[in-house]
Amino acid sequence: MPFARVTLSGIELAPARREELARRVAETMRDALGTPYRLTAVFVEELSGGSWTVGGQVAQRGAAHVEATVSVGTKTDEQKAAFIVEIARLMEEFCAPLLEPTYVVVRELPASAWGFGGSTIATHSRAPRAG
Amino acid sequence: MSVVVKEPPLVFECTQGLVWLTHDAVPGDHILATGQRFVASARGRVVAYAFAASRVHLSERDVPREARTYKEDGGCLSHE
């Protein structure tokens, strides 16, 4: 894609710290998944308290969820595993102590399910382009 | 993945998918759809990113196409 969404609950980061977290997530995507840094979008959102439950119980401490979206068939299992390891370390660094489990997800979308400029990647792949 | 061009020209041809390329000797981005080519005519590093499962064929001057076929596989170029 490449895009990552970091969802935090019960964790308040100062704007500069939130910006640093977004930058580090993009760097991790570059290093682990091989995504180009300049094309990588990261969104960090902070939820209000009470909206995060685990096992039916409202979280009593900070919780996080990280989801990265990439194109299906472009990443190896080793790359995805490395990303999950590094993101876990990163979240520990920025957000500890975190409620467990903290899930890290790599979503893989087919070329027909995302796009830019008003066309899917599948369409762009077939279309003649200038250059 | 990235390729260092030591002896230009080096031709990148997208034979499947959609690939984004940059060349540190050339400003701007280059997006190759299937069937399109980018010629790196200067030394430097070319970085490529596959928007979808893609194949990129590299060819050098005086090197037959059949001898230099690569496959984009998990972000790395590998011999097919």
Side-chain angles (χ1 to χ4, degrees):
Chain A
M1 171 111 16
F3 172 73
R5 178 189 294 266
V6 180
T7 305
L8 305 175
S9 175
I11 299 167
E12 291 186 12
L13 298 176
R17 188 72 168 156
R18 191 164 55 238
E19 190 174 312
E20 183 184 359
L21 175 60
R23 179 176 55 79
R24 295 277 298 278
V25 169
E27 290 173 350
T28 302
M29 289 185 72
R30 176 195 62 196
D31 297 341
L33 296 175
T35 62
Y37 185 73
R38 201 162 58 73
L39 297 183
T40 299
V42 178
F43 176 48
V44 179
E45 60 182 347
E46 297 174 355
L47 304 179
S48 59
S51 52
W52 197 294
T53 65
V54 175
Q57 303 297 311
V58 174
Q60 298 299 313
R61 57 202 283 192
H65 179 85
V66 180
E67 189 168 295
T69 306
V70 297
S71 292
V72 68
T74 63
K75 308 299 167 211
T76 65
D77 287 349
E78 290 76 15
Q79 286 179 303
K80 289 178 274 187
F83 176 76
I84 289 169
V85 166
E86 292 305 320
I87 287 295
R89 288 182 181 148
L90 193 61
M91 298 312 295
E92 188 70 21
E93 177 184 336
F94 276 78
C95 303
L98 274 174
L99 181 71
E100 293 299 336
T102 296
Y103 296 115
V104 180
V105 177
V106 179
R107 290 184 69 216
E108 297 182 287
L109 291 180
S112 59
W114 72 281
F116 60 84
S119 297
T120 68
I121 293 301
T123 301
H124 279 298
S125 298
R126 294 189 298 268
R129 302 177 63 91
Chain B
M1 75 91 200
S2 65
V3 173
V4 177
V5 180
K6 295 180 178 176
E7 296 181 25
L10 186 62
V11 179
F12 295 74
E13 180 177 2
C14 179
T15 59
Q16 178 188 328
L18 188 69
V19 179
W20 170 90
L21 293 176
T22 61
H23 187 344
D24 59 15
V26 181
D29 299 335
H30 306 274
I31 297 177
L32 304 183
T34 303
Q36 292 191 309
R37 294 158 31 120
F38 171 76
V39 180
S41 55
R43 292 184 181 184
R45 181 178 298 275
V46 174
V47 176
Y49 173 71
F51 281 115
S54 303
R55 290 185 179 185
V56 176
H57 166 258
L58 302 186
S59 58
E60 302 167 351
R61 185 175 45 199
D62 300 330
V63 176
R65 173 181 181 145
E66 294 74 19
R68 298 285 294 175
T69 298
Y70 292 76
K71 178 182 180 184
E72 173 75 17
D73 182 11
C76 300
L77 280 180
S78 58
H79 285 281
E80 188 175 48

